[in-house]
Amino acid sequence: MIIQRVVLNSRPGKNGNPVAENFRMEEVSLADNISEGQVQVRTLYLSVDPYMRCKMNEDTGTDYLAPWQLSQVADGGGIGIVEESKHIHLAKGDFVTSFYWPWQTKAILDGNGLEKVDPQLVDGHLSYFLGAIGMPGLTSLIGVQEKGHISAGSNQTMVVSGAAGACGSLAGQDVMAAGALKTQKAANACTQLALSCVFSDVPQPVEWYPPHSIGHLLGCSRVVGICGTHEKCLFLTSELGFDAAINYKKGNVAAQLRESCPAGVDVYFDNVGGDISDTVISQMNQNSHVILCGQISQYNKDVPYPPPLSPAAEAIQKERNITRERFTVLNYKDKFQPGLLQLSQWFKEGKLKIKETVINGLENMGVAFQSMMTGGNIGKQIVCISEDFSL
């Protein structure tokens, strides 16, 4: 059987910007038979994510990511349908996902490395398993739970950079989702995804509130997003319920941040690093917390991870006792199942808005990756390989 796949064609260099031409598509033969424990799958959707920039280097700089090899197939988050199975727990027609899905139209995979998913959790929107009801959603949820140190009733202010991206758009609204429960306990909780910490103890929902009022209902003073276009700012405030949004490409970011966060910043969900993060840290309060989710502005530079702060920002961090710890969601696998169920529940109840930017065709994997790395997406960047679910 002849299939198509995408391989790493060239490396951009540790200090280079990735381009679509770093990848190429080619045709190869797929074995006609599968062995015991294996499945043959047809790829439906693939994910491109910022962390993949590290995999384009010979050394990823991490102990949990292996580099892509030249002229070898790339991989990442993917979802597909089982066409043939010799695995005891997987059957023809099952939908399965993996964090290491090869970028090819069909594949023969070890069934033990796949997770069967239930389309009902996402109302049939299978690509959501690569975003809000998948790794990005878990990263946002668990990141705020574990590193945000949210205190109920304390009127904390959260700032999210990269706020219109896959993780940022979720970190900026999940608390609002949980905030739709009009109870005294919910009214005293605070900011975004952190509501998951108390959700299980909150009585059943008795009244629904539109997203723009939920942050205030909970007692949050501000939820502020930072992004790079007017369109994204409008999306954050009009659709996701952010109190304010700052376009870092327009005007003075520090001045806009002071205006948007008059009481300072208590929690910073950092997706970008660099100058933006230095600016946010300069306005953070005593004993505040940085959730180090990603550093996309630094991925094209030969620097360690997490990248060091500027001397001025580092001095402020130490003086104000600001925590800034590396966060790796793969270290919290015991929280994946309850986290996914919580995210699915919020989605089904209409409290979690999911946004995707979709490009069609395996041949456009490089185009999608380059666009994502330069801010061309709103929400999760997805590549649709096939929407044919028939067998």
Side-chain angles (χ1 to χ4, degrees):
M1 180 190 308
I2 302 299
I3 64 164
Q4 295 175 317
R5 70 176 189 176
V6 171
V7 303
L8 184 65
N9 187 51
S10 59
R11 301 188 191 277
K14 287 189 174 182
N15 294 299
N17 295 319
V19 294
E21 290 72 24
N22 291 133
F23 303 93
R24 75 172 187 270
M25 191 169 73
E26 61 185 26
E27 291 188 343
V28 295
S29 295
L30 191 68
D32 293 327
N33 300 308
I34 62 175
S35 302
E36 288 299 320
Q38 292 183 326
V39 296
Q40 179 180 301
V41 295
R42 182 169 72 251
T43 305
L44 300 177
Y45 300 98
L46 293 173
S47 172
V48 290
D49 300 278
Y51 79 86
M52 293 176 174
R53 175 62 184 84
C54 303
K55 293 173 70 70
M56 299 182 78
N57 299 331
E58 290 186 44
D59 180 3
T60 65
T62 68
D63 56 4
Y64 62 91
L65 289 177
W68 287 328
Q69 300 301 315
L70 290 173
S71 297
Q72 296 299 311
V73 67
D75 65 353
I79 189 166
I81 186 170
V82 175
E83 293 187 319
E84 183 182 355
S85 176
K86 288 189 177 180
H87 189 276
I88 188 171
H89 296 305
L90 297 174
K92 182 178 179 178
D94 284 347
F95 294 103
V96 291
T97 186
S98 170
F99 190 61
Y100 304 100
W101 196 283
W103 289 6
Q104 52 193 60
T105 51
K106 294 189 178 187
I108 294 175
L109 303 174
D110 181 354
N112 291 332
L114 300 174
E115 179 185 354
K116 183 178 176 180
V117 294
D118 182 359
Q120 293 186 2
L121 289 176
V122 291
D123 286 349
H125 300 282
L126 293 172
S127 59
Y128 290 178
F129 284 119
L130 302 180
I133 321 298
M135 199 63 71
L138 289 170
T139 299
S140 301
L141 178 66
I142 298 171
V144 175
Q145 284 179 323
E146 297 296 323
K147 301 296 183 181
H149 301 278
I150 306 298
S151 300
S154 60
N155 294 331
Q156 290 162 296
T157 296
M158 175 180 275
V159 171
V160 183
S161 60
C167 288
S169 62
L170 297 171
Q173 66 169 315
D174 279 356
V175 69
M176 304 175 193
L181 307 183
K182 189 182 180 183
T183 66
Q184 186 59 42
K185 188 163 187 177
N188 289 333
C190 193
T191 50
Q192 308 182 355
L193 280 168
L195 250 292
S196 57
C197 299
V198 299
F199 188 87
S200 60
D201 298 326
V202 178
Q204 291 298 308
V206 295
E207 191 168 347
W208 170 254
Y209 287 82
H212 67 267
S213 68
I214 292 172
H216 302 101
L217 172 67
L218 297 175
C220 301
S221 56
R222 305 292 284 169
V223 178
V224 177
I226 302 175
C227 54
T229 69
H230 174 71
E231 178 190 7
K232 291 179 179 180
C233 287
L234 191 61
F235 170 68
L236 295 179
T237 55
S238 64
E239 296 191 43
L240 298 191
F242 281 69
D243 293 288
I246 297 170
N247 182 351
Y248 70 88
K249 295 180 180 178
K250 298 288 186 180
N252 186 304
V253 174
Q256 294 180 75
L257 192 63
R258 280 192 294 271
E259 181 180 352
S260 298
C261 306
V265 179
D266 301 295
V267 181
Y268 174 38
F269 196 93
D270 185 7
N271 286 299
V272 301
D275 293 340
I276 290 176
S277 292
D278 288 351
T279 299
V280 175
I281 289 172
S282 72
Q283 298 186 34
M284 295 187 74
N285 295 324
Q286 191 75 25
N287 300 319
S288 53
H289 305 283
V290 177
I291 303 169
L292 200 57
C293 177
Q295 302 281 279
I296 193 170
S297 74
Q298 306 298 297
Y299 288 164
N300 295 329
K301 301 177 182 179
D302 186 10
V303 295
Y305 189 87
L309 297 170
S310 67
E314 186 176 4
I316 291 172
Q317 180 197 5
K318 292 179 179 178
E319 177 185 344
R320 300 179 189 172
N321 193 34
I322 301 171
T323 65
R324 180 179 180 259
E325 301 172 349
R326 182 173 182 170
F327 171 70
T328 305
V329 71
L330 295 177
N331 292 335
Y332 298 89
K333 291 183 179 180
D334 61 316
K335 300 181 184 297
F336 281 14
Q337 191 62 27
L340 290 173
L341 292 175
Q342 175 67 93
L343 292 164
S344 173
Q345 180 180 345
W346 283 340
F347 162 65
K348 283 175 163 290
E349 293 173 346
K351 300 167 188 174
L352 184 67
K353 184 176 180 63
I354 298 176
K355 178 72 173 179
E356 294 180 324
T357 298
V358 181
I359 292 180
N360 293 316
L362 184 70
E363 69 276 10
N364 289 315
M365 290 299 297
V367 172
F369 183 79
Q370 181 179 356
S371 176
M372 178 272 304
M373 288 295 295
T374 54
N377 59 299
I378 297 181
K380 183 72 186 76
Q381 179 69 65
I382 294 290
V383 180
C384 175
I385 308 304
S386 172
E387 290 186 297
D388 181 8
F389 299 167
S390 63
L391 292 172

